[in-house]
Amino acid sequence: GNSVTQMEGPVTLSEEAFLTINCTYTATGYPSLFWYVQYPGEGLQLLLKATKADDKGSNKGFEATYRKETTSFHLEKGSVQVSDSAVYFCALSLNTNAGKSTFGDGTTLTVKP
Amino acid sequence: DAGVTQSPTHLIKTRGQQVTLRCSPKSGHDTVSWYQQALGQGPQFIFQYYEEEERQRGNFPDRFSGHQFPNYSSELNVNALLLGDSALYLCASSSQPTGVETQYFGPGTRLLVL
């Protein structure tokens, strides 16, 4: 079956620090990969995505590269802000069913001023 | 352009009761998926509706059922509620059930079963 493994949290950083959240996956087909962000009391917002190997997704200073050889999709940001504090979810979906996503358990990020 | 909307926002029920949650997809979307997110965990896929039929189902018992209407809106029904059904229920919509289309999530309905 399909699965997503994220680095365990919580992660606490100082403002302007470098962020990496690790994500690895297993999939039976050719997945698209996603990072979602969830702010307290809210639903999920798509942060970025990549649909094939070596694609780089980017948004709001966040980046992640689809690495098929290591089955990874690590999230990075060069300089975090207090407003980036949230829960981050890595997810995959197969192109045969875009609406059926498999999620990791989430990583809580807290950024302190 | 309205995004995905869900109602109600919060709900409290007791064990054994039944509940109905509602979802309106983003304009232009015809596919609706439902997810259950327990506290501290990632969302788990319940099922997906397209063309008013259940197309895919996750590992959830038959107590969980759904419906899609001609206007693409959807309902999630849960019968014989258990304490373990307490969770945030998320609805997501997309413009087709296959391919690489992105799905958009609603704010969720938080269900508490006492």
Side-chain angles (χ1 to χ4, degrees):
Chain A
N2 302 323
S3 67
V4 175
T5 303
Q6 289 182 233
M7 66 182 285
E8 293 187 13
V11 174
T12 302
L13 296 173
S14 297
E15 207 165 21
E16 299 183 2
F18 184 85
L19 169 70
T20 299
I21 301 178
N22 291 337
C23 170
T24 58
Y25 68 90
T26 58
T28 54
Y30 298 96
S32 293
L33 302 174
F34 305 85
W35 277 101
Y36 288 88
V37 59
Q38 187 173 39
Y39 298 100
E42 298 185 11
L44 298 175
Q45 299 177 26
L46 178 67
L47 182 58
L48 53 85
K49 71 176 184 180
T51 58
K52 60 183 186 298
D54 299 326
D55 268 4
K56 177 185 282 188
S58 62
N59 185 29
K60 299 181 181 179
F62 291 90
E63 292 183 341
T65 301
Y66 189 141
R67 301 288 188 198
K68 186 177 179 182
E69 63 275 14
T70 55
T71 62
S72 65
F73 192 55
H74 305 322
L75 182 68
E76 297 182 337
K77 187 176 185 182
S79 177
V80 294
Q81 305 300 312
V82 171
S83 58
D84 293 327
S85 298
V87 182
Y88 292 82
F89 292 93
C90 184
L92 69 82
S93 65
L94 298 181
N95 293 347
T96 51
N97 192 328
K100 182 180 181 181
S101 293
T102 300
F103 286 82
D105 284 337
T107 301
T108 299
L109 170 66
T110 301
V111 180
K112 296 188 173 182
Chain B
D1 177 25
V4 180
T5 60
Q6 293 185 243
S7 63
T9 56
H10 295 81
L11 206 52
I12 299 175
K13 293 286 188 178
T14 57
R15 281 180 299 173
Q17 285 189 312
Q18 179 264 343
V19 69
T20 297
L21 311 181
R22 296 175 176 83
C23 170
S24 291
K26 181 178 170 63
S27 178
H29 287 183
D30 58 8
T31 303
V32 173
S33 299
W34 286 92
Y35 292 81
Q36 180 194 67
Q37 185 180 13
L39 195 63
Q41 297 182 18
Q44 299 290 318
F45 176 79
I46 303 175
F47 43 53
Q48 180 189 71
Y49 277 84
Y50 173 66
E51 293 185 334
E52 301 181 46
E53 291 187 8
E54 182 182 296
R55 299 290 177 165
Q56 294 274 340
R57 189 176 184 93
N59 188 27
F60 280 80
D62 291 345
R63 297 187 298 109
F64 290 77
S65 63
H67 188 76
Q68 186 179 35
F69 299 93
N71 67 353
Y72 309 123
S73 66
S74 177
E75 289 183 348
L76 164 64
N77 302 293
V78 187
N79 295 322
L81 284 167
L82 304 174
L83 296 181
D85 294 332
S86 296
L88 179 68
Y89 288 85
L90 296 167
C91 168
S93 72
S94 57
S95 60
Q96 56 185 343
T98 60
V100 297
E101 290 297 317
T102 299
Q103 56 180 342
Y104 293 82
F105 283 82
T109 294
R110 190 164 297 280
L111 172 64
L112 177 61
V113 182
L114 301 176

